[in-house]
Amino acid sequence: MTLRAHICRNIVVILTIWLGLATPSYALDTCDGRPCIAIGSYNIKLFGGGGSSDSNREIDKVVDRIAPMDVVVLQEINTGTATWRNFLADLQDIGFEVAVEGSFGGANPGRQQFVVVLVKSGNVQVVAGSAAELPIPTTNPPIWSSCIYDSLRPPVTVRLVAWLFDFRLVGLHFKSQTTVSSATGANKGVCDDDLRQWQSTMMLDELRRLTVADSDDDVVVVGDFNSPLSAEEFYPIRSNGLVSMIPDQCDASTQHGCSHLVSSSRFEPKVLDHIVVPSDMVEAVAESGQIGRLGTSVSNYRRTQSDHLEVWSHFYVDRDDD
């Protein structure tokens, strides 16, 4: 961060303290004796989409999974439904407010899935005017011949301030693992991988532009990447010095340590959900990344909550070393 930006940021912090807004309204976590916040991601399968995914859902348990977080990026949310509005009211009761939500839920009007970022507003403030979608097309240019898809959700972004820690958050839901039906030929099976690589490259281009405009390199990228960060398609992310804070210790035989849980051989259980940060980000609490616990059988969890577990990690908020 430049000297001018530091001065401006400090003025904002001083004014916030003077106005009585900087003191957290909800108890902050402590990490190594220092105040910290939890930033997480949760793909709640087809939430608000109707059918069995909603009728069997145990909402109170889903709320309990989100409650410990201060910032959460939700995926697969149909925001145009009463189911979502009622759920949001439950989350508002425990301090959450919408910081930013996507405007594109996919090309299928009967299967809308939006990305929504929520913050516990007593602990985390939204920088006015910072909420936006990244200007990434919903339909990719042809990567090769027939590898084209028209339901790519642009990531959302917002600048946040948690006590002394200010940062840019990006929330995303990359292309699923489902094979693109229009893709043909010998490369048909890797079209989805290539689409995720294209999405990540486009996202990185926008992040470079935004961090220059922010004069701040503190970035937290959160969401369902639909692939382990070690996958070949995410080489652009790794080569830019970004790492996932979520441990990848997935045991496919038991599904222990996996964030995506499966019920058939169509997909493999994997760690698809990540909190991604610069490798030298001092505010990121080392080894704090976690994946939620099942608390029941895989089949029951998938029936009553989701096919993903929530993930989260912690960040110190008592300093900001840009």
Side-chain angles (χ1 to χ4, degrees):
M1 183 180 284
T2 65
L3 177 59
R4 180 180 178 184
H6 265 300
I7 293 171
C8 291
R9 198 284 309 277
N10 289 337
I11 290 173
V12 169
V13 171
I14 291 168
L15 287 174
T16 305
I17 293 171
W18 180 69
L19 290 171
L21 299 175
T23 302
S25 300
Y26 298 87
L28 288 173
D29 288 337
T30 56
C31 302
D32 307 316
R34 297 168 55 185
C36 60
I37 60 169
I39 299 178
S41 175
Y42 196 10
N43 180 325
I44 315 177
K45 181 182 180 182
L46 297 176
F47 193 94
S52 61
S53 292
D54 283 332
S55 61
N56 295 321
R57 187 125 37 206
E58 297 176 347
I59 296 294
D60 57 335
K61 292 183 179 179
V62 176
V63 170
D64 287 345
R65 289 181 179 276
I66 295 171
M69 304 179 196
D70 298 286
V71 180
V72 61
V73 178
L74 303 179
Q75 303 91 38
E76 296 202 18
I77 305 298
N78 189 337
T79 56
T81 63
T83 302
W84 163 246
R85 290 190 291 272
N86 293 335
F87 180 57
L88 178 59
D90 291 340
L91 294 173
Q92 289 172 329
D93 286 343
I94 57 174
F96 283 101
E97 296 293 343
V98 174
V100 60
E101 62 181 70
S103 66
F104 181 70
N108 184 347
R111 193 182 172 90
Q112 293 293 282
Q113 302 176 28
F114 295 92
V115 176
V116 181
V117 178
L118 301 172
V119 300
K120 198 166 281 181
S121 54
N123 293 348
V124 180
Q125 288 77 49
V126 175
V127 175
S130 67
E133 272 185 325
L134 298 185
I136 298 175
T138 58
T139 300
N140 64 288
I143 296 175
W144 44 263
S145 64
S146 58
C147 186
I148 303 172
Y149 193 64
D150 64 356
S151 286
L152 300 173
R153 289 168 287 270
V156 297
T157 186
V158 64
R159 279 193 61 77
L160 301 173
V161 180
W163 205 4
L164 300 182
F165 177 40
D166 62 309
F167 60 100
R168 177 168 292 280
L169 181 104
V170 174
L172 58 78
H173 186 189
F174 278 163
K175 171 67 181 71
S176 73
Q177 299 180 77
T178 304
T179 302
V180 175
S181 58
S182 62
T184 59
N187 292 330
K188 178 182 177 70
V190 300
C191 176
D192 308 305
D193 300 343
D194 290 347
L195 286 167
R196 286 190 292 272
Q197 183 170 4
W198 179 82
Q199 287 180 292
S200 62
T201 300
M202 294 289 289
M203 179 194 70
L204 289 168
D205 288 344
E206 290 301 318
L207 275 183
R208 293 186 193 97
R209 178 182 63 82
L210 288 168
T211 53
V212 169
D214 295 339
S215 298
D216 190 348
D217 292 331
D218 285 340
V219 175
V220 184
V221 184
V222 180
D224 179 0
F225 286 66
N226 263 307
S227 197
L229 204 71
S230 58
E232 183 178 350
E233 65 259 36
F234 292 141
Y235 173 76
I237 293 177
R238 299 192 305 274
S239 65
N240 275 270
L242 298 173
V243 298
S244 178
M245 297 183 69
I246 305 304
D248 192 344
Q249 299 171 347
C250 175
D251 183 335
S253 63
T254 64
Q255 303 201 49
H256 179 74
C258 311
S259 72
H260 181 228
L261 308 171
V262 304
S263 59
S264 70
S265 59
R266 182 184 179 194
F267 298 113
E268 293 182 28
K270 295 179 180 179
V271 176
L272 306 182
D273 309 272
H274 303 285
I275 314 292
V276 172
V277 299
S279 59
D280 59 354
M281 189 179 196
V282 299
E283 295 87 358
V285 179
E287 299 182 358
S288 66
Q290 297 186 59
I291 298 173
R293 296 183 180 274
L294 267 175
T296 184
S297 66
V298 169
S299 60
N300 187 61
Y301 177 82
R302 283 177 50 90
R303 185 178 65 86
T304 61
Q305 295 178 61
S306 181
D307 59 351
H308 286 246
L309 286 165
E310 77 280 17
V311 303
W312 72 94
S313 55
H314 283 91
F315 296 79
Y316 298 117
V317 298
D318 57 351
R319 61 187 295 181
D320 188 30
D321 292 334
D322 297 313

